[in-house]
mmCIF file of all heavy atoms in Angstrom:
data_model
loop_
_atom_site.group_PDB
_atom_site.id
_atom_site.type_symbol
_atom_site.label_atom_id
_atom_site.label_comp_id
_atom_site.label_asym_id
_atom_site.label_seq_id
_atom_site.Cartn_x
_atom_site.Cartn_y
_atom_site.Cartn_z
ATOM 1 N N HIS I 242 6.941 9.939 -9.882
ATOM 2 C CA HIS I 242 6.264 11.239 -9.564
ATOM 3 C C HIS I 242 4.731 11.063 -9.246
ATOM 4 O O HIS I 242 4.154 10.143 -9.561
ATOM 5 C CB HIS I 242 6.605 12.363 -10.474
ATOM 6 C CG HIS I 242 6.217 12.111 -11.916
ATOM 7 N ND1 HIS I 242 7.126 11.783 -12.907
ATOM 8 C CD2 HIS I 242 4.923 11.928 -12.450
ATOM 9 C CE1 HIS I 242 6.489 11.624 -13.967
ATOM 10 N NE2 HIS I 242 5.152 11.675 -13.758
ATOM 11 N N ASN I 243 4.157 12.177 -8.650
ATOM 12 C CA ASN I 243 2.831 12.126 -8.191
ATOM 13 C C ASN I 243 1.855 12.127 -9.462
ATOM 14 O O ASN I 243 2.077 12.879 -10.385
ATOM 15 C CB ASN I 243 2.432 13.376 -7.395
ATOM 16 C CG ASN I 243 3.384 13.557 -6.255
ATOM 17 O OD1 ASN I 243 4.617 13.781 -6.494
ATOM 18 N ND2 ASN I 243 2.918 13.329 -5.042
ATOM 19 N N VAL I 244 0.794 11.302 -9.428
ATOM 20 C CA VAL I 244 -0.187 11.366 -10.384
ATOM 21 C C VAL I 244 -1.409 12.161 -9.879
ATOM 22 O O VAL I 244 -1.984 12.928 -10.444
ATOM 23 C CB VAL I 244 -0.636 9.870 -10.782
ATOM 24 C CG1 VAL I 244 -1.722 9.887 -11.766
ATOM 25 C CG2 VAL I 244 0.553 9.117 -11.443
ATOM 26 N N ILE I 245 -1.763 11.710 -8.641
ATOM 27 C CA ILE I 245 -2.943 12.358 -7.987
ATOM 28 C C ILE I 245 -2.867 12.090 -6.500
ATOM 29 O O ILE I 245 -2.305 11.101 -5.992
ATOM 30 C CB ILE I 245 -4.263 11.850 -8.503
ATOM 31 C CG1 ILE I 245 -5.450 12.713 -8.198
ATOM 32 C CG2 ILE I 245 -4.543 10.494 -8.076
ATOM 33 C CD1 ILE I 245 -6.780 12.366 -8.830
ATOM 34 N N GLU I 246 -3.383 13.097 -5.775
ATOM 35 C CA GLU I 246 -3.383 12.746 -4.270
ATOM 36 C C GLU I 246 -4.812 13.246 -3.775
ATOM 37 O O GLU I 246 -5.280 14.264 -4.068
ATOM 38 C CB GLU I 246 -2.372 13.446 -3.515
ATOM 39 C CG GLU I 246 -2.384 13.124 -2.088
ATOM 40 C CD GLU I 246 -1.516 14.026 -1.214
ATOM 41 O OE1 GLU I 246 -0.415 14.393 -1.542
ATOM 42 O OE2 GLU I 246 -1.944 14.430 -0.135
ATOM 43 N N ASP I 247 -5.366 12.506 -2.874
ATOM 44 C CA ASP I 247 -6.731 12.771 -2.412
ATOM 45 C C ASP I 247 -7.157 11.850 -1.237
ATOM 46 O O ASP I 247 -6.408 11.012 -0.858
ATOM 47 C CB ASP I 247 -7.739 12.659 -3.517
ATOM 48 C CG ASP I 247 -8.954 13.610 -3.350
ATOM 49 O OD1 ASP I 247 -9.229 14.033 -2.298
ATOM 50 O OD2 ASP I 247 -9.533 13.990 -4.496
ATOM 51 N N THR I 248 -8.309 12.154 -0.713
ATOM 52 C CA THR I 248 -8.847 11.230 0.343
ATOM 53 C C THR I 248 -9.423 10.105 -0.506
ATOM 54 O O THR I 248 -9.641 10.184 -1.688
ATOM 55 C CB THR I 248 -10.017 11.880 1.080
ATOM 56 O OG1 THR I 248 -11.007 12.255 0.071
ATOM 57 C CG2 THR I 248 -9.609 13.169 1.881
ATOM 58 N N PRO I 249 -9.578 8.875 0.202
ATOM 59 C CA PRO I 249 -10.176 7.775 -0.547
ATOM 60 C C PRO I 249 -11.494 8.113 -1.251
ATOM 61 O O PRO I 249 -11.683 7.694 -2.450
ATOM 62 C CB PRO I 249 -10.360 6.734 0.528
ATOM 63 C CG PRO I 249 -9.428 6.979 1.557
ATOM 64 C CD PRO I 249 -9.136 8.525 1.609
ATOM 65 N N ALA I 250 -12.317 8.892 -0.582
ATOM 66 C CA ALA I 250 -13.561 9.145 -1.187
ATOM 67 C C ALA I 250 -13.417 10.086 -2.414
ATOM 68 O O ALA I 250 -14.031 9.887 -3.383
ATOM 69 C CB ALA I 250 -14.516 10.008 -0.118
ATOM 70 N N GLY I 251 -12.484 11.068 -2.301
ATOM 71 C CA GLY I 251 -12.264 11.954 -3.416
ATOM 72 C C GLY I 251 -11.620 11.248 -4.631
ATOM 73 O O GLY I 251 -12.028 11.398 -5.720
ATOM 74 N N LEU I 252 -10.692 10.289 -4.290
ATOM 75 C CA LEU I 252 -10.205 9.540 -5.222
ATOM 76 C C LEU I 252 -11.166 8.716 -6.059
ATOM 77 O O LEU I 252 -11.177 8.540 -7.273
ATOM 78 C CB LEU I 252 -8.980 8.604 -4.725
ATOM 79 C CG LEU I 252 -8.069 7.995 -5.635
ATOM 80 C CD1 LEU I 252 -7.244 8.995 -6.387
ATOM 81 C CD2 LEU I 252 -7.149 7.048 -4.960
ATOM 82 N N LYS I 253 -12.086 8.040 -5.280
ATOM 83 C CA LYS I 253 -13.085 7.220 -5.894
ATOM 84 C C LYS I 253 -14.025 8.090 -6.790
ATOM 85 O O LYS I 253 -14.405 7.608 -7.837
ATOM 86 C CB LYS I 253 -13.932 6.453 -4.838
ATOM 87 C CG LYS I 253 -13.188 5.171 -4.418
ATOM 88 C CD LYS I 253 -14.045 4.292 -3.575
ATOM 89 C CE LYS I 253 -13.862 4.817 -2.156
ATOM 90 N NZ LYS I 253 -14.625 4.030 -1.140
ATOM 91 N N ARG I 254 -14.272 9.260 -6.253
ATOM 92 C CA ARG I 254 -15.066 10.121 -7.191
ATOM 93 C C ARG I 254 -14.337 10.467 -8.474
ATOM 94 O O ARG I 254 -14.946 10.387 -9.562
ATOM 95 C CB ARG I 254 -15.324 11.481 -6.455
ATOM 96 C CG ARG I 254 -16.673 11.479 -5.622
ATOM 97 C CD ARG I 254 -17.087 12.854 -5.312
ATOM 98 N NE ARG I 254 -16.111 13.612 -4.465
ATOM 99 C CZ ARG I 254 -15.929 13.501 -3.239
ATOM 100 N NH1 ARG I 254 -16.734 12.659 -2.469
ATOM 101 N NH2 ARG I 254 -15.035 14.213 -2.649
ATOM 102 N N ALA I 255 -13.009 10.651 -8.342
ATOM 103 C CA ALA I 255 -12.304 11.079 -9.477
ATOM 104 C C ALA I 255 -12.120 9.816 -10.523
ATOM 105 O O ALA I 255 -12.067 10.115 -11.690
ATOM 106 C CB ALA I 255 -10.850 11.444 -9.114
ATOM 107 N N ILE I 256 -12.147 8.697 -9.988
ATOM 108 C CA ILE I 256 -11.992 7.462 -10.921
ATOM 109 C C ILE I 256 -13.261 6.821 -11.046
ATOM 110 O O ILE I 256 -13.363 5.833 -11.869
ATOM 111 C CB ILE I 256 -10.970 6.521 -10.296
ATOM 112 C CG1 ILE I 256 -11.443 5.954 -8.977
ATOM 113 C CG2 ILE I 256 -9.612 7.158 -10.209
ATOM 114 C CD1 ILE I 256 -10.315 5.006 -8.430
ATOM 115 N N GLY I 257 -14.397 7.266 -10.544
ATOM 116 C CA GLY I 257 -15.680 6.823 -10.868
ATOM 117 C C GLY I 257 -16.236 5.706 -10.015
ATOM 118 O O GLY I 257 -17.276 5.082 -10.219
ATOM 119 N N GLY I 258 -15.501 5.379 -8.889
ATOM 120 C CA GLY I 258 -16.103 4.426 -7.953
ATOM 121 C C GLY I 258 -16.256 3.041 -8.542
ATOM 122 O O GLY I 258 -15.559 2.590 -9.425
ATOM 123 N N ASP I 259 -17.253 2.357 -8.011
ATOM 124 C CA ASP I 259 -17.546 0.904 -8.411
ATOM 125 C C ASP I 259 -17.961 0.833 -9.864
ATOM 126 O O ASP I 259 -18.393 1.722 -10.514
ATOM 127 C CB ASP I 259 -18.721 0.331 -7.570
ATOM 128 C CG ASP I 259 -18.283 0.137 -6.155
ATOM 129 O OD1 ASP I 259 -17.154 0.163 -5.900
ATOM 130 O OD2 ASP I 259 -19.197 0.151 -5.252
ATOM 131 N N ARG I 260 -17.853 -0.352 -10.441
ATOM 132 C CA ARG I 260 -18.250 -0.498 -11.802
ATOM 133 C C ARG I 260 -19.047 -1.780 -11.935
ATOM 134 O O ARG I 260 -19.059 -2.699 -11.184
ATOM 135 C CB ARG I 260 -16.925 -0.809 -12.628
ATOM 136 C CG ARG I 260 -15.936 0.334 -12.694
ATOM 137 C CD ARG I 260 -14.852 0.246 -13.593
ATOM 138 N NE ARG I 260 -15.343 0.534 -14.957
ATOM 139 C CZ ARG I 260 -15.422 1.719 -15.410
ATOM 140 N NH1 ARG I 260 -15.191 2.783 -14.678
ATOM 141 N NH2 ARG I 260 -15.909 1.899 -16.640
ATOM 142 N N ILE I 261 -19.973 -1.683 -12.962
ATOM 143 C CA ILE I 261 -20.866 -2.814 -13.225
ATOM 144 C C ILE I 261 -20.102 -3.459 -14.516
ATOM 145 O O ILE I 261 -19.786 -2.792 -15.369
ATOM 146 C CB ILE I 261 -22.295 -2.501 -13.496
ATOM 147 C CG1 ILE I 261 -23.075 -3.833 -13.726
ATOM 148 C CG2 ILE I 261 -22.556 -1.500 -14.612
ATOM 149 C CD1 ILE I 261 -24.539 -3.602 -13.532
#
Side-chain angles (χ1 to χ4, degrees):
H242 58 249
N243 307 67
V244 176
I245 192 172
E246 188 195 314
D247 210 331
T248 59
L252 195 62
K253 274 187 278 184
R254 271 196 301 278
I256 61 184
D259 291 342
R260 304 191 72 79
I261 183 164

